[in-house]
Amino acid sequence: MSTKNKILDAAELLFADKGFNGTSLREITSLGEVNLAAVNYHFGSKKELIKAVMSRYMNELSPRLESVLNALCQEDTQPSLIEVFSAFIEPLLYLNTFKDNGTSTFLQLLGRGYTDSQGFLRWFLTTQYPEVFTLFTQAVHKAYPELSAEEMFWRLHFTMGTIVFTMSSTDALIGIAENDFERQVDIAGVIKRVIPYVAAGVAAPILI
């Protein structure tokens, strides 16, 4: 394995587990068995390393997600919000074939971008992969055209909060499902369970 990939692999594991703010470059170099000079050579800074970690996943996810969202936007019929959110299932689960436990790791990393107040990362994702966000917004608007841009902002923000909390608790949720309800649930099952919930939230009546 190349030194660059050693750094990326170590960084993503630590970032997902401890957060971007809670992970030091020293911890990354220790886990990756590389020196600090190698990190500076390949990435230049911690911010650039964070971007590179996210890009590995987004480069795999975005074309697949763009394809299914574009198909929804081009259909003559109006999609349901469940159909819009369900468009994420297969592209997200593909990440498990890209990397071991890739789906959960990516969603945890994405959540860290919000909970760790990494504004630069959100800016990077929206500017580097604008088509994903544009198509998703268009699909939501097509499914619920009465939703204003402001109300959509709030509802999608609340949706992200739900997703972040759920995916950061995946192991615990899977354990509870098995111990309390004798249900065998995997990451796909968790995603499929949360979709109707967030779709219903976005589809709630406008009260303001």
Side-chain angles (χ1 to χ4, degrees):
M1 181 184 294
S2 69
T3 299
K4 185 175 183 179
N5 282 330
K6 285 182 179 179
I7 297 168
L8 287 169
D9 286 348
E12 75 173 41
L13 289 174
L14 288 167
F15 287 153
D17 181 45
K18 303 181 64 175
F20 299 119
N21 295 334
T23 300
S24 68
L25 289 179
R26 184 178 297 278
E27 289 173 307
I28 293 170
T29 57
S30 176
L31 181 62
E33 298 181 341
V34 298
N35 57 47
L36 185 58
V39 176
N40 292 328
Y41 173 78
H42 287 288
F43 303 102
S45 69
K46 185 177 177 181
K47 282 188 177 181
E48 291 304 314
L49 175 56
I50 291 171
K51 290 179 185 179
V53 166
M54 293 303 296
S55 291
R56 280 211 299 186
Y57 284 96
M58 287 298 297
N59 290 342
E60 297 293 327
L61 177 68
S62 60
R64 292 169 174 82
L65 192 50
E66 287 172 20
S67 178
V68 291
L69 288 173
N70 186 58
L72 278 177
C73 291
Q74 296 300 319
E75 287 181 358
D76 294 332
T77 57
Q78 181 182 22
S80 68
L81 283 167
I82 286 183
E83 288 176 312
V84 173
F85 284 103
S86 293
F88 285 78
I89 295 175
E90 290 304 320
L92 282 173
L93 293 181
Y94 169 79
L95 296 178
N96 278 335
T97 65
F98 168 63
K99 295 266 298 183
D100 288 342
N101 206 35
T103 302
S104 181
T105 300
F106 169 73
L107 290 170
Q108 286 179 301
L109 290 168
L110 188 63
R112 292 295 188 180
Y114 284 81
T115 58
D116 288 6
S117 300
Q118 298 292 325
F120 83 91
L121 179 57
R122 296 194 292 277
W123 176 85
F124 169 73
L125 293 175
T126 55
T127 55
Q128 192 73 17
Y129 306 95
E131 196 67 11
V132 171
F133 296 93
T134 298
L135 287 170
F136 176 56
T137 302
Q138 289 177 355
V140 171
H141 180 71
K142 185 176 182 180
Y144 194 171
E146 297 83 6
L147 212 57
S148 68
E150 180 184 2
E151 190 64 23
M152 185 183 297
F153 159 76
W154 285 110
R155 296 188 183 201
L156 294 183
H157 178 78
F158 298 149
T159 295
M160 177 58 71
T162 301
I163 297 297
V164 168
F165 177 78
T166 299
M167 299 319 300
S168 65
S169 309
T170 298
D171 290 342
L173 291 171
I174 290 174
I176 292 169
E178 182 176 358
N179 295 328
D180 293 6
F181 306 107
E182 298 181 352
R183 293 282 188 179
Q184 297 293 324
V185 180
D186 56 11
I187 186 67
V190 174
I191 293 172
K192 289 174 182 177
R193 280 168 170 78
V194 78
I195 283 175
Y197 181 86
V198 294
V202 175
I206 302 171
L207 301 179
I208 299 177

